[in-house]
Amino acid sequence: MEATEGVRIVELPASHVNTALPCLVRYLRQARPDVMLSDKDKVNRVAILAARVAGVPVRHFVRLGTTVSVNLRKRGRLERWLQVQSISRLYRYAEGIIVPSQGVASDLAQWVSEPRKIHVVPSPVVRPDLDSLAEVPIPVLWGVGAINNDIPVIVGVGELSARKDFATLVRAFARVRSKRPCRLVVLGDGREREQLLQLAASLGVADDFRLPGFLENPYPYIKGASLLAHSARWEGMGIVLVEALSLGVPVVSTDCPSGPREVLDGGRLGTLVPVGDDDALANAVEGILEGGHPPSHELRASVAPYRVCESAQCYATVMGFDTPHASIR
């Protein structure tokens, strides 16, 4: 692993998070950090236990990035029980709980014993080099040089899973495609890849649909698209929405719990549609293709809180560091 200047990476000698407890206890006793930040419930459980067993004065903050009540419905009985127990019983020992949106915070409040510990902190999404990464040339997809040619291109980004519900996007695309020339690119990998390809074929839009797979740099595709369509069933915030807005690209999103409504300012910055409604999604896409969206400069300006420096400062403030804004990188 490569580390940024000022960052030290310590690899714990454990093969799984569930076996990392002794290693983390040992590290805390030796390093005695001022603050520990852990992310995701399984890691949070182990980190809370490690801090208590280590017996050192570390201020521990946990983070949850998704809507708990919706996430629990998708879990097995044992995992659901473990997550409820850890949130309701263990999280009280954390100094604070960090979440990416007010929607996640409101949902989480019903599960924790001390809701006052919940802090909404914008995620550090907009990296300083995002604009330059978006200028990288895109591989040929349809025998034409660029994605932003005369035919409008809709782009989606995310894991090919039930949670992201790209099947609804493909059906919406087929509706739009029946009325006007357009194309759809979905960036990501997952178990629903073949199902999506079969669905596109059954709807007669396979020739205008591409699945390039997971890309470390999706930004050229987003920037070159006519719009980004987000069809998720649930979210913590909707990172790709922020990325698209930062590039001045219009967006349409499901009004899923939780995050898109906040990112899009209640629909002012992008159209919100019901979850799973391909007809409403198709209508929203058509509206954007016809020019019904805010100007690019307004979209770009809206994501200032999600820039790395601003987000880092918010994290530092919540965790009790008196760090000047200019020193956060």
Side-chain angles (χ1 to χ4, degrees), residues 225-229 244-245 248-252 269-270 288 293-294 296 299:
S226 302
L227 71 129
L228 179 132
L245 294 177
V249 176
V251 300
V252 57
L269 298 169
I288 290 178
H293 57 81
S296 293
L299 301 180

Side-chain angles (χ1 to χ4, degrees), residues 130-264:
L130 192 148
D131 284 326
S132 61
L133 288 171
E135 298 298 329
V136 175
I138 301 174
V140 171
L141 291 177
W142 278 281
V144 291
I147 191 173
N148 55 344
N149 55 84
D150 293 336
I151 300 178
V153 174
I154 304 157
V155 68
V157 182
E159 182 186 8
L160 308 184
S161 65
R163 173 185 170 186
K164 296 300 185 180
D165 193 18
F166 286 117
T168 291
L169 176 55
V170 172
R171 286 191 287 269
F173 168 67
R175 288 179 178 273
V176 178
R177 181 67 185 82
S178 68
K179 300 177 182 179
R180 63 187 302 162
C182 57
R183 289 165 172 161
L184 173 63
V185 178
V186 176
L187 309 176
D189 278 328
R191 62 183 60 185
E192 294 199 351
R193 180 183 178 83
E194 291 305 317
Q195 293 172 248
L196 292 172
L197 289 172
Q198 291 172 15
L199 176 60
S202 70
L203 294 172
V205 295
D207 288 344
D208 291 313
F209 177 50
R210 293 290 185 272
L211 288 172
F214 171 79
L215 300 175
E216 290 188 4
N217 180 14
Y219 307 123
Y221 289 86
I222 297 173
K223 183 176 181 179
S226 302
L227 71 129
L228 179 132
H230 189 64
S231 53
R233 292 188 171 274
W234 76 91
E235 279 290 359
M237 186 194 72
I239 288 175
V240 72
L241 295 175
V242 176
E243 292 172 330
L245 294 177
S246 73
L247 293 170
V249 176
V251 300
V252 57
S253 174
T254 49
D255 190 10
C256 66
S258 304
R261 175 167 287 274
E262 293 172 50
V263 172
L264 300 181

Side-chain angles (χ1 to χ4, degrees), residues 309-310 312-313 316 322-329:
C309 287
E310 284 74 6
Q313 182 60 48
D322 186 17
T323 309
H325 181 280
S327 69
I328 300 294
R329 293 291 184 267

